[in-house]
Amino acid sequence: MLFSKAINKYYLKFAPLFIIGVIALLVVDIAQLEVPLIIGRLVDELEAFRAGEMTRVDALNAVSDIVMTLVFISIAIVLGRFTWRIGIMGASRRIAFEVRDDMFEHSLKLSNRFYSEKKVGGLMALFINDIEAIRRAVGPGLLMMVDAIFLGLLVFYRMYSIDARMTLVLVFPLVAIAMAGILIGNKMRRRFRDAQKAFEDLSDVVQESLSGITVIKAFVKEQLEIRHFLKANKNTKDKNIRFVRMQMTLQVFVRGIVSLVFVLMIAFGTQRVSQTAGTADPFTIGDLVAFLSYFGMLIWPMMAISMIINVRSRGKASLQRIEEILDEPIDIVDENTVDIEEIKGDIDFKHLYFAYPDADAGDDVLKDISFSIKAGQTVGILGRTGSGKTSIVDLLLRLYNLDKNQLFIDGVDIMRLPFKQVRENIGYVPQDGFLFSDTIKNNIALGVDDDRAHMDKIQEVSKLSDVHDNIVQFKEGYNTVIGERGVTLSGGQKQRVSIARALAKNPPILIMDDSVSAVDTSTEEKILKNLKKIRQGKTTIMIAHRISTVKNADQIVVIDEGKVLDVGTHKELEERCEFYRDLVERQQLEDEVEVA
């Protein structure tokens, strides 16, 4: 078994199952211990009949009694095995479920910093392979430990009661097995950890290659990706073979010792039968059969020692990897919060500085940002790629922590607002228009409660985002299941479904992060016109690099290299902001070239 703060609490929670399972296992072990004695007695009874010491009737009665006893024992063993499987194995699977659930719940609370450092394939390996290794250490590991201790000791005692000298000989191979297990166990744990890390790297390669399959095909890089996969696959194979070699070394050693001792027991036992024949305390053939049967039963506890070392080494290595995730600190937490009954949408940036957690000291992506947005305004944030526009979105969604008194919503420091309340009152359309592998209907209804997600509402927001006509052309309409990340939709369709999803939420604050970049200008104009009509009295922030997206906004914030260059209307900025005027001229030139 394994003991750690990650799973200890579940031993208590599922203690009744474990107790029932262990009791049933002990009943099975005790019942099994009677079988060799009964078989030995059967052999002696038959030998006595052969020697003429019993009548046929007495022999038949004795055999009949023995057979009936074996039948009852067999029934008890079957029922006991059924019970301990439900108890022990059932509890181990429940623990695996709980730990996996804890991991997922904790993962959802971790900040973007964590996911910028970890790869999806590696995390998936933890949720699958490592959890399974822990389950085997908790369930089968407990089974083998109980059998190795309880059954092993009882079998050893029964053998000792049959013949002490033959039994004492077995102490030496048991000690040898224990010593080998201790020496090899640590190496097995390290090698299993290496094998799991190799599997994690392989998962990363597969996940990344399949997610980027379109790019790979477009650049004709299939052979390059195959070589990358073969390299990662070979590394996984080599690390697993190193672990299996160590595992097999221990098993071969144990099996070799057991086989050698079994041969010696037969030779020594046969000699004991002949030497004690006719004495007052003979060692009979039945005793030899019972002794060898007990030794056969002892093989499993002896083998279980190596298997315990194996599964525990795996489980401990996996548990260490999982605890690294569970011990990862949660960066975004609520402290000294102030609840606002209703968020209206006033937003103030006051001399805001921000650097990502993994950035070097002084490497700010936002520098002295100051501007205000009044509730009900439509505000455009314009800038070149990498100017810091998306960083502003991340801060408004409280995806990162800020120093106090730099960003305010309705006059309250955002760091004092519960982050759940902040996010519930913001509708967000990301750049990539991320969609889940689900129906179009469910993707649009993601941000609203089930009782509000009626089809008429879904169709309404789809029309507002100019995607309804595209959806109804699909064979299944709104019940069409789109592929992973919405791969079956075009870029423009994904963006428009994402816009519909945000509109269905009807939030007081709507953030559109360059979310019409993949649609044509005609469709863009329809969407912006619809937004202006339905967003009256609600705050709308439109982040863009295209002038046409923001030119009709109430005000436009121009950002470059993390700094606010100017704030004003389209006309005001054209008159006084050279940077903005240059963007306008460049994009007009681009439009003229495209028309030509």
Side-chain angles (χ1 to χ4, degrees), residues 307-349:
M307 296 175 71
I308 289 170
I309 296 168
N310 179 11
V311 298
R312 193 174 186 279
S313 298
R314 291 187 177 200
K316 193 170 183 179
S318 292
L319 186 59
Q320 289 173 349
R321 287 158 50 84
I322 285 174
E323 285 186 328
E324 290 175 4
I325 302 296
L326 294 175
D327 290 340
E328 188 71 26
I330 299 173
D331 297 332
I332 310 301
V333 295
D334 291 328
E335 294 182 0
N336 302 320
T337 57
V338 175
D339 288 328
I340 300 179
E341 185 175 344
E342 181 183 1
I343 288 181
K344 297 177 181 178
D346 284 321
I347 300 172
D348 291 295
F349 290 84

Side-chain angles (χ1 to χ4, degrees), residues 27-52:
V27 170
V28 170
D29 288 345
I30 293 172
Q32 286 178 316
L33 289 172
E34 299 301 318
V35 175
L37 288 179
I38 294 173
I39 293 176
R41 196 177 75 192
L42 177 62
V43 171
D44 286 339
E45 296 285 2
L46 294 175
E47 178 63 21
F49 174 72
R50 187 188 65 82

Side-chain angles (χ1 to χ4, degrees), residues 124-148:
M124 291 300 296
L126 294 175
F127 279 91
I128 300 172
N129 272 23
D130 289 287
I131 287 290
E132 177 62 16
I134 289 176
R135 185 198 67 78
R136 292 184 60 82
V138 172
L142 174 62
L143 165 68
M144 291 182 287
M145 183 181 70
V146 172
D147 265 354

Side-chain angles (χ1 to χ4, degrees), residues 129-311:
N129 272 23
D130 289 287
I131 287 290
E132 177 62 16
I134 289 176
R135 185 198 67 78
R136 292 184 60 82
V138 172
L142 174 62
L143 165 68
M144 291 182 287
M145 183 181 70
V146 172
D147 265 354
I149 296 174
F150 185 79
L151 182 61
L153 290 176
L154 287 180
V155 169
F156 198 81
Y157 171 77
R158 288 291 180 91
M159 294 172 70
Y160 186 86
S161 64
I162 295 173
D163 191 284
R165 285 187 296 175
M166 289 179 63
T167 304
L168 291 175
V169 175
L170 298 177
V171 173
F172 298 102
L174 289 175
V175 172
I177 291 173
M179 293 289 292
I182 293 172
L183 293 174
I184 295 176
N186 290 331
K187 291 184 178 180
M188 288 178 64
R189 183 167 59 253
R190 289 195 296 270
R191 291 192 178 184
F192 182 72
R193 188 177 180 87
D194 292 340
Q196 291 293 80
K197 181 61 171 65
F199 179 79
E200 177 181 318
D201 295 338
L202 179 63
S203 299
D204 287 335
V205 172
V206 174
Q207 188 271 334
E208 198 167 64
S209 297
L210 295 182
S211 296
I213 190 65
T214 303
V215 176
I216 292 171
K217 289 178 180 288
F219 284 86
V220 197
K221 291 298 180 182
E222 290 90 343
Q223 293 303 316
L224 178 62
E225 290 303 310
I226 289 173
R227 288 196 294 272
H228 286 165
F229 176 80
L230 288 176
K231 182 179 179 181
N233 197 25
K234 184 178 182 301
N235 183 49
T236 303
K237 179 199 70 174
D238 292 342
K239 293 296 175 61
N240 276 281
I241 286 177
R242 289 182 72 243
F243 172 76
V244 171
R245 281 175 180 167
M246 188 63 67
Q247 178 183 345
M248 290 299 105
T249 299
L250 180 59
Q251 289 192 12
V252 168
F253 176 78
V254 172
R255 290 180 183 274
I257 294 292
V258 169
S259 300
L260 178 61
V261 173
F262 193 78
V263 172
L264 293 176
M265 289 297 101
I266 293 176
F268 190 55
T270 303
Q271 184 181 21
R272 287 277 294 152
V273 171
S274 61
Q275 286 178 348
T276 60
T279 63
D281 185 20
F283 185 76
T284 65
I285 295 176
D287 291 335
L288 177 59
V289 170
F291 191 90
L292 293 176
S293 297
Y294 278 127
F295 181 73
M297 294 176 64
L298 189 63
I299 292 175
W300 158 241
M302 293 171 71
M303 291 299 301
I305 295 174
S306 66
M307 296 175 71
I308 289 170
I309 296 168
N310 179 11
V311 298

